[in-house]
Each structure stands twice: as C-alpha cells, then as structure tokens.
C-alpha cells in the first residue's frame, strides 16, 4: 500500500491544509482589507477666494450692482483678485471696486415708501413701482452698509464709491432729487463729491448746496 505522503497530490493537499492553519493549529483568520483613506484638498485658488470673501464680507449668492452700468446680478464666485457676477445667465468678471452689495433693508424701505406703506393688490404685482421723487442718503461712514469694514485711512474713497453707486442706481430716474448728507466737518468729503459732480456727472446731474452739511443732486 502506497504511503499517502509519497503521493504528490496528497502532499499538495497537505500543504494547503497547513497553509490554512497557524502555528497553534487553529484556522487562520483572514485579515480584512484596510480601506485607504483619500484626502481631498481644495484648489489653492478656491481657498484663496474663500479667504478674500471672508475678509471683505462677501457672500456668494448675494445681489450686487455694477458701478458703471447700474446692472444688477448675483455674486457667484470670489477669487483672489476679482469676482464672478451672473447677469441674465452670463458670468462676468469684475474687480472689487466695480460693484456694491445691495442693501436689502434699504431697497425694502424704498419700495415700501413708494407704495405708501400698503401692499399692492394681487393684480398689480407685475407693475413696476414708482420711486419716491426725493430721498436722503447719509454718507457718514458708520451709516454706509459695511462701512465699518472700510480699512483705516481709506474711509474717503469708500464714501466716494458709495456716493457714485447711489448716483448710478438712480441715474435713469429724471427729476429725482437726492440729498447727500456729508456733514460739516473739515469739508473734505463735501468738496470731493462736488468736484466729482462737476468733472464726471455735469451732463447727467446738477447739484446745489442744501442745509449745512448737505448737497442736493438732481438727476436730469
């Protein structure tokens, strides 16, 4: 009778059996495969854009107005040196000084004032509301939306940009009077906005001195 260990097939079977057992004779436990953990890093440009957005108080999805055209759009992306604004389904790139973030509270107050404080009737919802013929805008830095975010020493440029954004916003409304409250102070802001009126807006607007600390601009 042939010894089973002299049989090659029997040896192979024995080897397989031994491979399944550990030194103690117990069945070896198959170790589960460890899952590799994948770390996803944000692109450097995206991280830089998020940092700039946080510093400037910009929130993607907010409504903004372009300074040069008075067009409104939605802020979609913030980059290191520019932003992307969606207008009528198209994306446009603009610098940080080329737009302002709309003040929702101010817009709501103006619309409410135009409607006399009453809600419009159901059938009149599609009709545009008339704007008031005269409004007042306070240019003191603490009264400007996000004015406290203006870097120290740059309050005057911030005030001038806000002044120009208001003019662009209402430029199409002929006959409208805007009383800009700049205060008395040292007259630097007063002289700056009146010089801007004479040099850049003389064909579309006129201005007259109002009460102390006020300049009245009329849209032609």
């Amino acid at each position: 009778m042939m010894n089973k260990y002299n049989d090659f097939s029997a040896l192979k079977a024995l080897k397989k059996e031994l491979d399944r057992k550990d030194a103690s004779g117990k069945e070896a436990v198959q170790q589960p495969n460890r899952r590799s953990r994948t770390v996803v890093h944000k692109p450097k440009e995206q991280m830089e854009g998020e940092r700039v957005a946080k510093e400037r108080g910009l929130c993607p999805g907010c409504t903004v107005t372009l300074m040069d055209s008075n067009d409104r759009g939605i802020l979609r992306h913030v980059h290191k040196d520019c932003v992307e604004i969606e207008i009528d389904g198209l994306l446009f790139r603009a610098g940080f000084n080329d737009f302002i973030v709309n003040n929702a509270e101010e817009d709501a107050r103006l619309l409410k004032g135009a409607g006399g404080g009453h809600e419009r009737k159901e059938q009149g919802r599609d009709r545009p509301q008339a704007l008031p013929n005269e409004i007042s805008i306070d240019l003191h830095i603490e009264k400007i939306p996000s004015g406290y975010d203006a870097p120290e020493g740059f309050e005057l440029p911030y005030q001038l940009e806000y002044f120009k954004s208001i003019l662009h916003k209402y430029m199409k409304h002929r006959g409208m009077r805007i009383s800009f409250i700049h205060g008395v102070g040292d007259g630097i802001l007063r002289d700056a906005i009146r010089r801007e009126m004479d040099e850049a807006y003389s064909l579309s607007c006129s201005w007259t001195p109002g009460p102390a600390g006020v300049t009245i601009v009329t849209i032609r």
Side-chain angles (χ1 to χ4, degrees):
M1 183 175 182
M2 184 179 293
N3 192 320
K4 69 176 182 177
Y5 296 108
N6 294 329
D7 184 20
F8 184 70
S9 61
L11 288 174
K12 289 176 64 177
L14 179 61
K15 185 176 184 303
K16 288 184 178 181
E17 183 179 354
L18 291 175
D19 289 341
R20 292 198 306 267
K21 295 182 179 181
D22 57 14
S24 63
K26 296 180 180 180
E27 291 289 337
V29 179
Q30 186 177 2
Q31 295 294 330
N33 294 329
R34 294 184 178 180
R35 295 181 178 179
S36 59
R37 184 174 298 175
T38 304
V39 179
V40 179
H41 296 282
K42 293 182 179 179
K44 184 177 180 181
E45 183 180 357
Q46 180 181 350
M47 296 178 64
E48 187 68 19
E50 291 177 355
R51 181 187 66 80
V52 174
K54 184 176 181 180
E55 289 180 353
R56 293 178 174 267
L58 299 176
C59 179
C62 64
T63 304
V64 300
T65 299
L66 293 179
M67 303 283 285
D68 58 349
S69 63
N70 201 32
D71 291 327
R72 286 196 175 194
I74 305 297
L75 182 64
R76 291 303 183 192
H77 305 287
V78 179
H79 301 288
K80 180 179 179 180
D81 53 358
C82 66
V83 299
E84 290 186 11
I85 300 173
E86 180 182 349
I87 302 176
D88 296 332
L90 300 176
L91 283 178
F92 298 88
R93 289 207 168 195
F96 291 106
N97 296 324
D98 295 336
F99 69 94
I100 61 166
V101 178
N102 294 341
N103 187 334
E105 294 182 359
E106 180 183 353
D107 288 347
R109 178 174 57 80
L110 288 174
L111 289 175
K112 185 177 180 180
H118 299 286
E119 294 184 1
R120 290 179 291 174
K121 295 182 180 180
E122 187 73 22
Q123 62 272 19
R125 287 190 174 181
D126 294 333
R127 299 176 182 175
Q129 276 190 321
L131 290 170
N133 191 49
E134 184 170 354
I135 61 172
S136 296
I137 301 295
D138 198 332
L139 294 179
H140 288 89
I141 195 68
E142 67 273 9
K143 298 295 184 179
I144 297 177
S146 303
Y148 287 110
D149 295 333
E152 185 175 357
F154 289 87
E155 291 84 358
L156 179 60
Y158 201 92
Q159 290 168 306
L160 285 176
E161 288 300 325
Y162 183 65
F163 162 75
K164 290 188 287 187
S165 72
I166 295 297
L167 286 182
H168 283 289
K169 181 176 182 179
Y170 297 105
M171 192 63 72
K172 297 179 182 179
H173 303 279
R174 294 183 178 180
M176 187 172 186
R177 287 160 51 93
I178 307 174
S179 297
F180 287 101
I181 304 172
H182 45 68
V184 180
D186 50 17
I188 294 178
L189 178 59
R190 176 201 63 202
D191 295 342
I193 66 173
R194 292 180 180 181
R195 183 168 57 252
E196 189 74 20
M197 290 294 304
D198 292 337
E199 296 177 356
Y201 299 96
S202 59
L203 297 179
S204 54
C205 306
S206 61
W207 66 270
T208 56
V214 176
T215 296
I216 301 175
V217 175
T218 302
I219 308 296
R220 292 179 178 175

